Amino acid sequence: QVQLVESGGGSVQAGGSLRLSCAASGYTYSSYCMGWFRQVPGKERDWISTSTTAGTTRYVDSVKGRFTISRDNAKNTLYLQMSSLKPEDTAMYYCAGCDASGVYRYWGQGTQVTVSS
């Protein structure tokens, strides 16, 4: 059974930093793409970043230069380093794992990030 568990969320002031972690189990983590999404109440879940098995990374424009996705395959853990946080980054953050088709199929329970001005 695949399980993704996020941690590291919290409350910070604008300009601060947080590092989110996503620990994977029951899943050959290193074989699939992984990503981060976020969602605010009443809105759809938005994609933020992807880490592919080829080592490439992609970001939505709004976080480029501020967020960094990384993965530690030995620890089956995905990270999202967030810097220069803004109030508009406030959201529930979810990690997700792809299936063999490259479709995001597995989801964590989310971790809340709140950025105050």
Side-chain angles (χ1 to χ4, degrees):
Q1 181 179 350
V2 177
Q3 202 169 21
L4 303 177
V5 179
E6 302 97 334
S7 61
S11 297
V12 295
Q13 290 191 326
S17 299
L18 283 172
R19 188 177 80 156
L20 306 184
S21 300
C22 173
S25 61
Y27 184 55
T28 311
Y29 167 89
S30 60
S31 299
Y32 304 106
C33 59
M34 299 287 293
W36 289 96
F37 291 72
R38 65 187 179 188
Q39 187 173 25
V40 298
K43 294 192 176 181
E44 292 187 355
R45 191 171 298 185
D46 293 327
W47 169 79
I48 300 172
S49 182
T50 293
S51 170
T52 72
T53 55
T56 58
T57 58
R58 303 187 187 97
Y59 301 91
V60 67
D61 286 347
S62 60
V63 307
K64 281 181 182 176
R66 301 188 299 121
F67 290 11
T68 303
I69 191 171
S70 62
R71 56 199 298 166
D72 185 334
N73 289 337
K75 295 183 178 180
N76 267 18
T77 301
L78 181 75
Y79 301 99
L80 185 68
Q81 177 67 48
M82 306 186 295
S83 302
S84 301
L85 283 162
K86 304 176 181 179
E88 51 264 43
D89 294 318
T90 295
M92 185 71 78
Y93 283 70
Y94 298 90
C95 76
C98 300
D99 61 15
S101 300
V103 175
Y104 285 109
R105 179 177 296 277
Y106 307 106
W107 296 87
Q109 82 290 348
T111 186
Q112 178 68 37
V113 171
T114 302
V115 184
S116 58
S117 57

